[in-house]
Amino acid sequence: MLIGELARASGVTVRALRYYEQQGLLQPERAANGYRQYDGRAVTKVRNIQLLLSNGFTAQDVRDFLPCLDDGDVSLVPACPPSVEAVTRKVAVLEERIAELAAVRDRLLQALSGNPTPQQPGTVARRHPAYTRTARG
Amino acid sequence: MLIGELARASGVTVRALRYYEQQGLLQPERAANGYRQYDGRAVTKVRNIQLLLSNGFTAQDVRDFLPCLDDGDVSLVPACPPSVEAVTRKVAVLEERIAELAAVRDRLLQALSGNPTPQQPGTVARRHPAYTRTARG
DNA sequence: CTAAAGGCTGACCTGGGCGTCAAGGTCAAA
DNA sequence: TTTGACCTTGACGCCCAGGTCAGCCTTTAG
């Protein structure tokens, strides 16, 4: 799979793919002519990278994520126990971000329904109802 | 409340507060000496702004959020019906972001538990269990 | 053979969210 | 009155995630 195909398949630009590689997030093979060669799993991987980057994580953060998410193949995990701690921390970060966004969402929904905010001022709602809706619908 | 106090109270820098104002996210009063004057609700507002910015939204995005979240006072909402549509769109964006992050979190948890991924390749998990954990909890 | 399409590296540019001076005004305490 | 903390605007700088252009090589189509 050449870089242009991967770009189209994963919805990012060729430039972004080269950037991700430069940041150590991708390590494609090289053909004899110097062209980058990606396998099919790279599509998932790139989507996950983009997903994290567009949610406020940095390339450095993503580096911490990927060792155990490599190419979306979770079965690789037992081979990388040293990063368990790092992954656990990342899960906590995600929990926090999710809770924050859910709180904002709840406030917007309250706003739309015209209800007052049942919370003490000084911060955004912390304890919120379970997340039940599915994306896009 | 002066800008330095607000900065300490809300956990951002003075520079950031001036930047938010420049971006149209804050409109403090001005004292006779030219000093910015904030009221207590600005603390919540600033925290919300920072929260959104650190989650991958731009100042422009935040501008769309704030008309109905002003100072965290949701009771102001009925006064701004024209932005209902914009807020609704933002809720959808939040739902999507939350779902994405929850999917990543689920994959990390699967990785930690060593389970295989029960999903078709090509994208991150889309339908995920309800969000049940509380932040830092 | 030639043109078009795609790939390569290197390098400079951009926009967003600030950090960091610079030069100066204001205010409370000593 | 002087010091020091805090405020003002303005301007330049930085990092990050790429965009864009230049100059060149490779592969496929006609």
Side-chain angles (χ1 to χ4, degrees):
Chain A
M1 189 178 216
L2 294 182
I3 194 169
E5 308 176 63
L6 176 56
R8 281 188 297 274
S10 57
V12 307
T13 67
V14 166
R15 177 64 173 95
L17 292 177
R18 290 201 265 251
Y19 175 72
Y20 297 164
E21 180 177 352
Q22 181 190 326
Q23 295 301 307
L25 308 181
L26 295 172
Q27 291 97 26
E29 301 294 306
R30 293 290 183 137
N33 57 12
Y35 286 18
R36 291 168 177 83
Q37 296 266 58
Y38 303 87
D39 55 28
R41 301 176 308 170
V43 177
T44 298
K45 187 170 184 179
V46 168
R47 284 183 181 164
N48 283 332
I49 291 172
Q50 230 297 309
L51 193 161
L52 290 169
L53 289 179
S54 68
N55 274 281
F57 292 94
T58 68
Q60 169 68 41
D61 293 331
V62 176
R63 259 199 297 275
D64 297 341
F65 270 105
L66 286 178
C68 283
L69 268 187
D70 193 48
D71 296 344
D73 187 353
V74 178
S75 62
L76 290 176
V77 170
C80 78
S83 55
V84 163
E85 193 187 359
V87 172
T88 301
R89 275 197 301 272
K90 287 299 173 186
V91 168
V93 171
L94 284 172
E95 300 283 12
E96 210 173 320
R97 279 207 194 299
I98 290 170
E100 289 171 348
L101 292 180
V104 173
R105 178 206 57 194
D106 290 348
R107 297 194 75 171
L108 288 177
L109 289 175
Q110 285 172 1
L112 288 176
S113 68
N115 293 336
T117 65
Q119 77 192 33
Q120 59 273 64
T123 184
V124 89
R126 276 302 166 187
R127 307 210 166 273
H128 59 282
Y131 176 66
T132 51
R133 297 164 184 247
T134 57
R136 309 182 205 268
Chain B
M1 188 176 215
L2 296 181
I3 194 170
E5 308 176 62
L6 175 57
R8 281 188 296 276
S10 57
V12 307
T13 66
V14 167
R15 177 65 174 96
L17 292 177
R18 290 201 265 254
Y19 175 73
Y20 298 164
E21 180 177 350
Q22 182 190 326
Q23 295 302 306
L25 308 181
L26 294 172
Q27 291 96 27
E29 301 294 306
R30 292 292 182 134
N33 57 15
Y35 287 17
R36 290 168 178 86
Q37 296 266 55
Y38 302 88
D39 56 28
R41 301 175 308 172
V43 176
T44 298
K45 187 169 184 178
V46 168
R47 284 183 181 163
N48 283 332
I49 292 171
Q50 230 298 309
L51 192 161
L52 291 169
L53 290 178
S54 67
N55 275 281
F57 293 94
T58 69
Q60 170 67 43
D61 294 331
V62 177
R63 259 198 297 276
D64 297 341
F65 270 105
L66 286 178
C68 284
L69 267 187
D70 194 46
D71 296 344
D73 188 352
V74 178
S75 63
L76 290 176
V77 170
C80 78
S83 55
V84 163
E85 193 188 359
V87 172
T88 302
R89 274 198 302 272
K90 288 298 173 186
V91 169
V93 171
L94 284 171
E95 299 283 11
E96 210 172 320
R97 279 207 193 302
I98 290 170
E100 290 172 347
L101 292 180
V104 173
R105 179 206 56 194
D106 290 347
R107 297 194 76 172
L108 288 176
L109 289 175
Q110 284 173 1
L112 288 176
S113 68
N115 293 335
T117 65
Q119 77 192 34
Q120 59 275 62
T123 183
V124 88
R126 276 301 165 188
R127 308 214 165 269
H128 58 282
Y131 175 66
T132 52
R133 297 164 185 247
T134 57
R136 311 179 205 270

